[in-house]
Amino acid sequence: MKQTEGIGIMENTQAKDTRKTRSLLGMRGADTNAQRPLWQIRLQLMKPVTWIPLMWGVLCGTASAGMFNWAGYFQWNGTYVLAGVACMVLSGPLLAGYTQTLNDYYDRELDAINEPYRPIPSGAIAIAQVVAQILGLLGLGLALAVGLDLWAAAEFGARHTPWVLTGLTLFGAFLAYIYSAPPLKLKQNGWLGNYALGASYIALPWCAGHALFGSLSPTIVVLTLFYSFSGLGIAIVNDFKSIEGDRKLGLRSLPVIFGVDRAAWICVLMIDVFQIGVLGYLLYLQSWVYAAVLAALIVPQIVFQRRFLADPVANDVRYQASSQPFLVFGMLVTGLALGWGSL
């Protein structure tokens, strides 16, 4: 009997630890206890789990700028590493944190239905404190972008496009605002909102990493915007968990518009077709090895999609966990291919 009780206590403790971790990362299944330190609540608002793709995007942009080919490799020093890390902080904790906090602020009624454990609907943080966090993260992001532009101009001279990182930061902040805030509130439109989200997670950080160490060419901008349609597909996956609340509040997400099954097919087709399009571009560049690696990374995603299509609502999280690593490694492979080519 005592052994059974001990196992039960251990399981409860593990469950509590899991909920606390989910709270800090901003994931579903978070701890609903509002009696937490304010820093934990602020961190939950910023959803650290969403920072990783943007920081990875900066790495992909660094690769496409040629910093991992033979010539770029020998340029690395401590200052370059710090600049790269600073660009990741800009894209992840600061701008993604700003975006997520802003989104929670304008989604507080929706979250009260779909995710009542979130800090604002649960009453864990005051609205004034949320607004201060939004402005603080935006201000820090702009200051860091200006600093990186000044560093790159001094380091690379005419090779660096003047104030490009500051411009990307301002554009990203504006895009985040119109995505979440009325009257535009792009997220109310399943196509525009999800593409804006996909571009924010792929094109913007990629362009930032490339612009920091190289000249941002129209080719890179167009290619990353094209790649962002795969990000649109990933964004649709996140909509399946919110169908009930979206319907009640009149938000036209793709699962609401087309139904669960059709939206799931749109999702996987967007993910696959545009990655295959990028694969075709690498073949056009005659980057045979990188094209082969990218193709090998696309195949497992298609395999995992079978279970997702069978029940998108039940398998959305599992699909993301199993499939997305292959997508993001494919992005890095593409960046390396471009960095070793003529771009």
Side-chain angles (χ1 to χ4, degrees):
M1 185 70 176
K2 288 183 178 179
Q3 184 178 3
T4 303
E5 291 176 353
I7 293 173
I9 292 172
M10 183 173 65
E11 290 177 346
N12 287 337
T13 301
Q14 290 174 343
K16 289 179 180 178
D17 290 342
T18 300
R19 288 195 297 270
K20 288 180 180 179
T21 301
R22 288 178 175 272
S23 295
L24 291 176
L25 295 177
M27 300 170 64
R28 279 189 290 172
D31 188 356
T32 56
N33 177 20
Q35 301 302 317
R36 287 173 286 144
L38 183 59
W39 71 267
Q40 290 187 8
I41 297 169
R42 290 191 181 280
L43 191 62
Q44 184 183 356
L45 275 174
M46 295 165 64
K47 290 187 181 178
V49 72
T50 66
W51 303 349
I52 299 171
L54 288 101
M55 297 169 75
W56 187 267
V58 172
L59 183 65
C60 296
T62 303
S64 66
M67 292 305 295
F68 297 132
N69 61 24
W70 292 121
Y73 175 79
F74 291 106
Q75 295 182 55
W76 282 100
N77 56 41
T79 304
Y80 278 40
V81 172
L82 287 175
V85 170
C87 194
M88 289 183 176
V89 171
L90 170 64
S91 297
L94 295 182
L95 290 186
Y98 154 80
T99 300
Q100 295 297 337
T101 307
L102 185 72
N103 187 61
D104 267 27
Y105 173 78
Y106 284 107
D107 266 9
R108 52 193 185 274
E109 293 181 3
L110 179 63
D111 286 342
I113 299 171
N114 292 324
E115 300 176 276
Y117 63 83
R118 297 293 303 158
I120 299 176
S122 68
I125 187 170
I127 294 296
Q129 293 173 311
V130 176
V131 173
Q133 179 165 321
I134 292 169
L135 296 176
L137 290 170
L138 178 58
L140 288 172
L142 284 171
L144 184 54
V146 169
L148 287 172
D149 267 327
L150 292 173
W151 174 82
E155 185 70 24
F156 301 114
R159 177 180 162 189
H160 178 71
T161 305
W163 304 113
V164 61
L165 288 162
T166 303
L168 287 170
T169 298
L170 288 170
F171 178 73
F174 173 72
L175 188 62
Y177 179 79
I178 63 174
Y179 173 81
S180 298
L184 294 180
K185 204 174 178 74
L186 296 182
K187 68 181 300 179
Q188 290 181 332
N189 182 298
W191 291 109
L192 290 177
N194 284 329
Y195 183 71
L197 197 61
S200 296
Y201 274 76
I202 294 180
L204 285 178
W206 190 318
C207 288
H210 191 103
L212 180 64
F213 293 107
S215 297
L216 187 58
S217 67
T219 301
I220 292 295
V221 174
V222 171
L223 182 68
T224 56
L225 289 173
F226 182 86
Y227 222 141
S228 296
F229 281 101
S230 289
L232 186 156
I234 292 296
I236 296 172
V237 179
N238 296 321
D239 289 336
F240 289 101
K241 72 178 186 297
S242 306
I243 294 175
E244 179 185 353
D246 290 346
R247 283 175 178 158
K248 288 182 179 179
L249 295 179
L251 298 180
R252 295 180 57 79
S253 67
L254 294 188
V256 171
I257 297 172
F258 294 103
V260 171
D261 292 337
R262 288 183 179 179
W265 273 104
I266 293 171
C267 170
V268 300
L269 287 173
M270 297 298 288
I271 292 170
D272 296 343
V273 167
F274 288 93
Q275 285 187 94
I276 293 171
V278 173
L279 171 62
Y281 183 64
L282 295 189
L283 291 172
Y284 169 76
L285 295 177
Q286 299 183 355
S287 297
W288 309 117
V289 174
Y290 289 109
V293 175
L294 180 58
L297 291 169
I298 293 173
V299 171
Q301 297 177 60
I302 297 174
V303 173
F304 290 130
Q305 286 165 358
R306 294 179 60 186
R307 175 177 290 180
F308 171 70
L309 288 169
D311 191 344
V313 177
N315 295 321
D316 59 343
V317 175
R318 180 180 296 179
Y319 169 67
Q320 285 182 313
S322 60
S323 180
Q324 282 194 30
F326 293 95
L327 185 144
V328 298
F329 275 107
M331 290 168 52
L332 181 58
V333 167
T334 302
L336 290 169
L338 298 176
W340 281 87
S342 59
L343 298 178

